[in-house]
Structures are given as C-alpha cells and as structure tokens.
Amino acid sequence: MTALLSLRDVTKYFEIKRGVFERRVVKAVDGVSFDVEEGQTVGLVGESGSGKSTLALTVLRLYEPTRGQAIFEGVNLFELKGRELTRVRRKMGIVFQDPYLSLNPVKRVRDIVGLPLKVHMPSLSFEERESMIREMLEQVGLRAADVERFPHEFSGGQRQRIAIARALIVKPKFLILDEPTSALDLSVQAKILNLLLDLQREFGLTYLFITHDMNVIKHISDRINVMYLGKLVESADTEELFERPLHPYTRALLSSVPTLDPRQRGRKKMLLRGDPPDPANPPPGCRFSSRCPLADDLCRREEPPLVQVEPGHWVACHKVGG
Amino acid sequence: MTLLEIRDLKVYYYAFDGVVKAVDGVSLELESGEFFGLIGESGCGKSTLGNAILRLVPPPGRVAGGSIYFQGEDILQLPEDRMREIRGDRISMIFQDPTAALDPVYTIGDQIVETILAHNPEVSRKDAEARAIELLKLVGIPGAEARVHEYPHQFSGGMRQRAVIAIALANNPELLIADEPTTNLDVTIEAQILTLLDELRRKLNMSILLITHNIGIVAEYTDRVGVMYAGKLVEVGRTVDVLTDPKHPYTRGLLGAIPGRGGRKGRVTEIPGTVPNLANPPPGCRFHPRCPRRFDPCDQEEPALVPLPGEGRMVACHLYRRLES
C-alpha cells in the first residue's frame, strides 16, 4: 500500500502576545509524523488541547505551518501557493463537528453545497451544477428537492449530511472528519457513521477521522494515532492499539472509557491524577510526565522520541521498549 | 426506603404554536442512597424532569399535573419559601457547564460560604469558612487552604466541576441531581469526577439522580436506570438487567446504535425515522412509528408501565402486556 498523505515533523506554534513585553509560544502541534494509506481510515484521538484539530487545519493550509512537510500524492502541500494550492485542495475536503456553525444560515442548500463547484469548476453551467448538487444530496440520503431549503429547516443529523455533501461535491480523494458525530445523538450518530462507511466504499475515499470518542474510533478506523499536548505519543493498527496499548497515556485513556457492560465495572481502572497542563506551559521533558504514574527524573528532563517497538507500532515513552 | 416518589408527572411548555408535552405522565421512585441513571436522547424530557423536581422549570414551561413526594411530602404543593429551604439544602443540583454555575466575581470560598449561611444563619462565618476548606478537600482539590481564596477563572474545567460539587454538597443534601455533569469534560477527567461522585454518595449516604445521554457512564456507575423516550418513561430496572437484557424496542435500538461493539467497519444498527414533535406526538405508543416490532394496538393504545419478572423491572410496551394477565 502507498501513503496518500505523509506528515513529517508537522509543527504549528501560535504566538500569544500579552501587553508589550510578554510573548508566549503555544506549541499546539509539535513535530507530528504519520502516514495515511490510500483507502484507509486513520483515526486521530486526544483530549481537548491535544492539537488534533490544529493539525487538521494545518494540513489543509487553513493555518500556516511553522515547520514540516505534508506530502500529498508526492507534492508537499506546505510549499504550494495560490492556484497550485487551490488545485490540490480540490482533492481534499473537511467536515466539522458542529453543523449549526458550519452552514451559512442565510444560504439555501443549493448555494451551500454548490459553492465548492463554483470555486473549483467555474466553467460549469447552472444546469450542470444543479444536477450534480441534486445527485449528491440523494447520495447522502437527502432529497433532490432540498436544494431550495435553508439550514434551519433541517435536524442536526440532516445538517451533517449537507456538510458531507458539500465536502464530496468536487469528488475529493481525501476527507478530514473533525468530530463529525460528536454533536449528534446516538441514534443519529449511527446513521452518519453508516453513511460515511458507505460513501467510503462507493468513492474509494481516504479518511482522517478526528474524535475523542473511543467507541467511534474503534469502529471506524484501520489505524489510530494518539496525541497528547501537541505530541504524537502512540500510533498502531486499531486492534493492536486496543489490545496492547503501550503508552501510559493511551492506557489511561482506554481505561477511562466507561464499560458498556455493567458486569465488568469491578475491573481495575487506571485513573490519572490532575489535569492536563496548560499547552502554553507544558512540563519539561515528556509532556505527560506531570500526570504519569511511571514518570522518573529522565522523563522530567528529556523528551522521549517516537520509536517503533513492533512492526507498525510506534510509541514515544522512556518506559516502553528501548 | 423511598426518598423521592414521582407520580404521573406532567410538565408542559406552553409555546406559541402549541403545547409541548416534554414530560407526560412519568412515575418513578428513588431509593435512599441509590445511584439512579436517567437516560435518553435530546428532547426526551430528562432534563425537564430533573428541573421539575427542584421546581425550576423555566417559562413557558409549567407542571401540568402529578405529584412529587420528597420524604412523604408533596413538594409541588409547598409555598415557594418552604421550597427555597429545600433547594440547595436537602436537594441540590449540578449542571453540564460548571463555568456558568459559578459567579466569576466571587471566590470559590465565598460561594460555598454563602450556600452554607443561606440555609444555616446560626453558623458563624469562621466556621463556614472552615467547612468550605473541608469541602474542597472532600472533592479532591489539592491545596484547598489556598485555593479557597481563588476565583473560578483560576480553576481548570475539571477543578471547576469539583468546586460546583463542593457547593452542592455544602449542606449534606439527601438527593443530588446531576444533569450531564461530565459532558463538557475530557474522558480522563470524566472518570475522575464520576468516581468521586460515587465515593461521596457512599460516604454521605445521599442519592444521586444522574441525567445523561451516555450509556457508558450509566453502565459504569449506576444501580438502576430509567430510559426516557419522547416524554415517557419506557423502561426501568436494575442497570445490569436493563443493559444486558433490554426489553423495550427503543432501549434495544439505543444499545444497538453504540458503535464499536460488533465487527469493525460493520454497520451500526440504526433506529429508523426521527424523534417525534412533542407538540403533536403520535397516537398510541410514541415509539410506534419507528418500532420494528409494532403490532395492532400500538398506534391506538398507549402502553402503561407494567412490572416484569425481575427486581423492580418495568416496561411500557404492548409486547409484554400478556405477561401481566
């Protein structure tokens, strides 16, 4: 298999200015590298502030990267400019978490879903565009006649379908899904997950699926990357990660997920002490060291590198492997 | 011992374009010291039910019928000043957003002290302050002596929810209503907070009514569970019974819709259709238009909540009516 997207040392820092003298740098994404294989779903998990959404927006160049490379079909996205960038962007789409914020309330569905066509295929006639929009709406489980309606006339799940239609209208190869079901009820989430799986099969799509929900990620991903405070701490195939989590943070994360079987609740849980540190002021050494039950002096001094401990299983921890 | 008994409670919102029957004839008992989970999707009426227990349903909502007996006394009949004595003292409540629950211009300590003094005017301020520190320690806030003087913005999200819990527990309530208390928090913090609530429940012998959409936390922490759909309680029983052997088709659908249980990338079981409009709910059983097992009486007759074999198991579904006779 070949990588459709290869991230190498992707880094995004934000500078925060307070007053005249104080400047702080938030290392939101710090040297993240992983591959996304064509046709696969790669999961990206982590808690708030872990940098997972910033990483997605940086890859799409919606944020300017501080450093690194994002190689998409052999081209480094971070070196593209102007028209070249627009041309490559047509192959990439994004769906956001909140379908109440991501759809313009004063536009009809026709204009919302049709906008990418106007940008990327400006030579289409109105009729051609209209028929593509109608076809796309039916493909995501809406009605062709919905082109006339406004976002407020739809439920949350239907709005997310509109957002998916907008992302897919220009037939991209790669879709970033940033918490696409987190705002939805369980029964609605089931429908959207099934739709995403159907569309992936039908169009041969590659997904980068961002979520904090471990049940969802387990269901949909082939491979999972775990982030903590801007760092990639573990990366493995889905079964491997759930059966043999190695990084103490991944283990705590999996252990914190409530069991769905009440008969299992007696099991020993690995509860973390304390809160995640301020991303603008992470601890020295390993960023997880302030909450890690295994941390020692080395951990508090030196940042652990990401190393391969098994074929395809990468971990950044002084206490694992090495 | 029964702590709270809700009988045929109806809470309606009198909106412009019709009456929305958010809670429509719910009966429920809460035992002293138990951890009860009330589960359902958005708009099923679970939060309205929680608010109604404290008589805090916002207008245009109103209790339209039924009674709520708290230790034998119908609190819906109490004058407001008596109700105020109960609220925040014997029954307290925490919400999803701890930031909105705290006043940004007072210290955490002041907010706890205020809660204590409001219900116990005989207590000295000094004693109340000592109790505030004790409470912050109880909810696991490190350095309580110093942090009692800090403001909400100096606390992280998880620590704010702990502070809110400290305020809610200030007067040793017999019942704590927790409405989605961890929905805004990360999963590692969620586990800390719920473990803490469970420990405090045992230590202080209070009951918790946990209102949530998250089946996982119900499975992990509660003794009993009630499932709500479209303003009705459709199933109730011991958590282990309901979640391992659900009876109502809606409960079955909900459990089937959890991803990650079957094969990876398989289809997640969907519940067909969408939630009904509660201003104009379907006749008969409110779930019947979406139910895979509907039959003759379902679109005409509303099923009553009837007991099933098993400890305290009840279900409102015509499929089980035969068992009754």
Side-chain angles (χ1 to χ4, degrees):
Chain A
M1 259 186 290
T2 48
L4 179 68
L5 175 70
S6 292
L7 306 183
R8 292 293 172 265
D9 193 31
V10 174
T11 299
K12 176 65 189 169
Y13 295 166
F14 293 97
E15 195 173 274
I16 296 174
K17 289 176 193 164
R18 279 197 190 159
V20 187
F21 299 109
E22 199 189 332
R23 268 163 200 240
R24 294 202 302 171
V25 170
V26 178
K27 298 179 176 177
V29 177
D30 202 5
V32 170
S33 304
F34 63 81
D35 286 351
V36 179
E37 305 285 342
E38 182 142 20
Q40 284 205 332
T41 299
V42 171
L44 189 57
V45 295
E47 298 179 280
S48 28
S50 64
K52 52 194 196 302
S53 293
T54 304
L55 177 67
L57 297 175
T58 306
V59 168
L60 290 179
R61 289 280 299 275
L62 296 169
Y63 283 143
E64 272 312 297
T66 303
R67 193 174 72 224
Q69 295 184 314
I71 316 282
F72 183 80
E73 294 189 307
V75 180
N76 183 3
L77 300 171
F78 293 174
E79 284 171 358
L80 296 179
K81 286 196 195 96
R83 241 190 230 151
E84 285 176 306
L85 181 61
T86 311
R87 206 175 308 137
V88 177
R89 262 198 192 140
R90 187 182 149 183
K91 298 177 183 172
M92 310 194 290
I94 186 163
V95 175
F96 297 99
Q97 172 174 349
D98 190 340
Y100 290 82
L101 293 176
S102 67
L103 305 179
N104 188 336
V106 300
K107 298 276 189 196
R108 289 180 200 275
V109 170
R110 168 185 294 117
D111 299 313
I112 292 170
V113 176
L115 183 63
L117 288 176
K118 287 190 177 166
V119 173
H120 293 290
M121 302 166 81
S123 57
L124 291 179
S125 70
F126 177 84
E127 287 74 23
E128 286 169 318
R129 206 163 53 229
E130 181 77 4
S131 83
M132 285 176 78
I133 294 167
R134 286 170 178 261
E135 195 187 323
M136 197 67 235
L137 288 178
E138 288 181 343
Q139 217 125 29
V140 299
L142 296 169
R143 292 172 308 124
D146 288 336
V147 288
E148 301 290 349
R149 298 169 72 195
F150 289 95
H152 75 262
E153 299 176 60
F154 295 89
S155 67
Q158 288 173 321
R159 284 171 193 234
Q160 207 54 306
R161 288 175 196 266
I162 297 170
I164 292 169
R166 173 176 60 186
L168 292 181
I169 189 84
V170 290
K171 304 276 184 276
K173 302 180 90 164
F174 175 62
L175 209 55
I176 294 181
L177 300 154
D178 190 355
E179 305 262 12
T181 62
S182 302
L184 305 175
D185 270 322
L186 201 51
S187 65
V188 182
Q189 167 175 282
K191 291 176 186 174
I192 297 295
L193 289 178
N194 285 339
L195 173 68
L196 289 171
L197 287 167
D198 291 344
L199 292 169
Q200 181 170 42
R201 275 182 213 115
E202 186 159 347
F203 298 114
L205 292 164
T206 304
Y207 290 156
L208 178 63
F209 199 107
I210 300 172
T211 183
H212 65 275
D213 185 324
M214 299 307 283
N215 291 322
V216 169
I217 206 83
K218 186 179 181 184
H219 183 74
I220 203 159
S221 307
D222 297 291
R223 209 177 153 73
I224 295 174
N225 297 292
V226 184
M227 285 184 72
Y228 186 80
L229 273 187
K231 287 278 179 187
L232 186 64
V233 297
E234 187 159 5
S235 176
D237 285 344
T238 304
E239 273 88 13
E240 169 81 4
L241 190 88
F242 275 86
E243 270 162 38
R244 244 165 51 90
L246 294 175
H247 197 285
Y249 175 65
T250 314
R251 286 163 59 189
L253 192 62
L254 292 179
S255 166
S256 300
V257 176
T259 169
L260 295 167
D261 183 351
R263 290 166 300 193
Q264 298 228 338
R265 65 165 79 168
R267 79 194 189 289
K268 202 159 163 44
K269 270 174 282 192
M270 181 178 162
L271 285 185
L272 288 180
R273 289 164 293 130
D275 296 322
D278 179 358
N281 189 19
C286 173
R287 294 190 183 183
F288 187 56
S289 61
S290 61
R291 297 171 81 197
C292 182
L294 306 175
D296 62 12
D297 285 349
L298 175 67
C299 303
R300 284 182 274 268
R301 203 171 55 234
E302 259 177 56
E303 204 155 353
L306 190 70
V307 293
Q308 189 165 210
V309 288
E310 294 275 334
H313 196 155
W314 298 75
V315 186
C317 176
H318 290 304
K319 296 288 165 191
V320 173
Chain B
M1 200 183 75
T2 305
L3 178 70
L4 187 81
E5 187 186 349
I6 299 172
R7 268 195 225 153
D8 198 28
L9 182 71
K10 294 184 172 127
V11 187
Y12 296 170
Y13 290 90
Y14 296 86
F16 243 5
D17 42 358
V19 179
V20 177
K21 298 172 176 174
V23 175
D24 201 14
V26 169
S27 297
L28 186 66
E29 283 182 22
L30 248 66
E31 298 297 313
S32 184
E34 82 169 328
F35 204 145
F36 189 94
L38 190 61
I39 195 156
E41 298 183 283
S42 331
C44 72
K46 56 190 191 302
S47 291
T48 299
L49 180 72
N51 293 339
I53 296 171
L54 279 174
R55 289 183 31 193
L56 290 174
V57 178
R62 213 162 59 223
V63 174
S67 37
I68 299 176
Y69 292 93
F70 179 66
Q71 296 186 327
E73 188 173 31
D74 186 356
I75 51 178
L76 293 179
Q77 304 304 326
L78 292 179
E80 179 55 32
D81 59 334
R82 288 275 327 274
M83 189 63 212
R84 213 174 293 144
E85 288 169 16
I86 291 178
R87 214 183 277 137
D89 190 50
R90 297 169 63 196
I91 308 177
S92 53
M93 190 160 184
I94 59 175
F95 300 92
Q96 179 172 334
D97 184 358
T99 311
L102 293 167
D103 191 325
V105 299
Y106 289 94
T107 65
I108 296 290
D110 283 342
Q111 298 184 52
I112 302 176
V113 166
E114 186 192 4
T115 310
I116 296 169
L117 296 182
H119 292 282
N120 307 281
E122 74 286 357
V123 173
S124 74
R125 192 168 173 93
K126 201 167 150 245
D127 288 349
E129 275 166 10
R131 168 91 178 130
I133 293 170
E134 192 186 303
L135 282 160
L136 291 182
K137 285 182 181 162
L138 183 72
V139 298
I141 293 180
E145 286 87 352
R147 303 213 73 177
V148 75
H149 301 298
E150 290 185 6
Y151 291 88
H153 75 267
Q154 294 168 285
F155 280 52
S156 68
M159 285 297 155
R160 272 180 217 158
Q161 195 58 296
R162 284 174 195 265
V164 169
I165 293 170
I167 295 171
L169 298 184
N171 297 315
N172 287 322
E174 286 133 286
L175 172 63
L176 176 70
I177 302 170
D179 189 353
E180 304 271 11
T182 57
T183 304
N184 273 351
L185 303 174
D186 281 321
V187 64
T188 58
I189 310 296
E190 171 178 274
Q192 290 173 356
I193 296 287
L194 288 168
T195 304
L196 170 73
L197 280 177
D198 197 32
E199 283 167 9
L200 293 172
R201 173 181 69 91
R202 288 166 206 271
K203 202 185 279 178
L204 309 173
N205 192 34
M206 62 176 178
S207 306
I208 298 180
L209 174 63
L210 176 74
I211 297 168
T212 181
H213 68 282
N214 185 331
I215 295 176
I217 68 178
V218 166
E220 185 87 56
Y221 297 99
T222 62
D223 303 317
R224 290 199 306 140
V225 62
V227 182
M228 280 190 78
Y229 179 78
K232 296 275 181 188
L233 188 67
V234 297
E235 183 159 6
V236 63
R238 294 198 312 159
T239 303
V240 58
D241 298 335
V242 174
L243 297 190
T244 52
D245 180 23
K247 297 294 187 195
H248 197 284
Y250 176 65
T251 316
R252 289 186 179 170
L254 209 53
L255 290 169
I258 300 171
R261 304 186 98 190
R264 193 155 56 81
K265 293 209 168 189
R267 290 192 77 76
V268 188
T269 318
E270 297 180 9
I271 303 176
T274 52
V275 192
N277 175 357
L278 292 185
N280 186 19
C285 171
R286 291 186 177 185
F287 188 59
H288 88 263
R290 307 175 71 188
C291 184
R293 302 195 60 188
R294 65 171 173 267
F295 61 115
D296 279 348
C298 299
D299 60 354
Q300 288 149 33
E301 237 177 274
E302 201 170 286
L305 199 64
V306 295
L308 289 181
E311 196 188 319
R313 278 212 87 166
M314 296 181 90
V315 68
C317 174
H318 290 303
L319 284 172
Y320 303 94
R321 201 169 47 166
R322 284 175 221 108
L323 291 169
E324 192 190 11
S325 49

